[in-house]
Amino acid sequence: MSGSQRYRLRAPSTGRELIIEADPDRDYVDRETGEPLEVVGKVLPLAPSTSKLPWAVENLRFCPWCDQLAQKDLNDCPSCGRRMGPIGA
Ligand SMILES: [Zn+2]
């Protein structure tokens, strides 16, 4: 199981934002500038999706490519767009 929460982080000087699975108790730095990143907010699992299933744990699977959650009835991962293949194969 994964207890990770995705956060939006921003580099103050460049305004560049990235979304990572972050531990809020850890410090993250921008790879280019080396400055500490500000936590802008949590990312809710509301990726655009053709699935009609709600984002409930029992309806989700992990994409084998990017390890992000996707609804089980989707063929293509809403995070990376790659085909996830059949479940339980
Ligand atoms: Zn994916």
Side-chain angles (χ1 to χ4, degrees), residues 26-76:
R26 269 186 58 188
D27 290 327
Y28 293 88
V29 295
D30 187 84
R31 244 184 300 173
E32 286 171 18
T33 64
E35 68 189 331
L37 294 170
E38 296 174 339
V39 176
V40 182
K42 280 186 187 180
V43 178
L44 298 174
L46 295 174
S49 160
T50 56
S51 174
K52 295 193 170 49
L53 290 175
W55 286 88
V57 173
E58 60 267 28
N59 293 333
L60 298 175
R61 61 192 286 205
F62 283 100
C63 169
W65 302 102
C66 68
D67 237 18
Q68 299 299 316
L69 287 168
Q71 288 103 328
K72 282 179 180 170
D73 65 338
L74 291 175
N75 292 321
D76 299 323

Side-chain angles (χ1 to χ4, degrees), residues 2 4 6 19-21 47 55 61-70 76-84:
S2 167
S4 57
R6 295 166 84 194
I19 294 171
I20 59 169
E21 288 184 3
W55 286 88
R61 61 192 286 205
F62 283 100
C63 169
W65 302 102
C66 68
D67 237 18
Q68 299 299 316
L69 287 168
D76 299 323
C77 171
S79 297
C80 69
R82 283 191 268 194
R83 185 159 284 268
M84 295 186 290

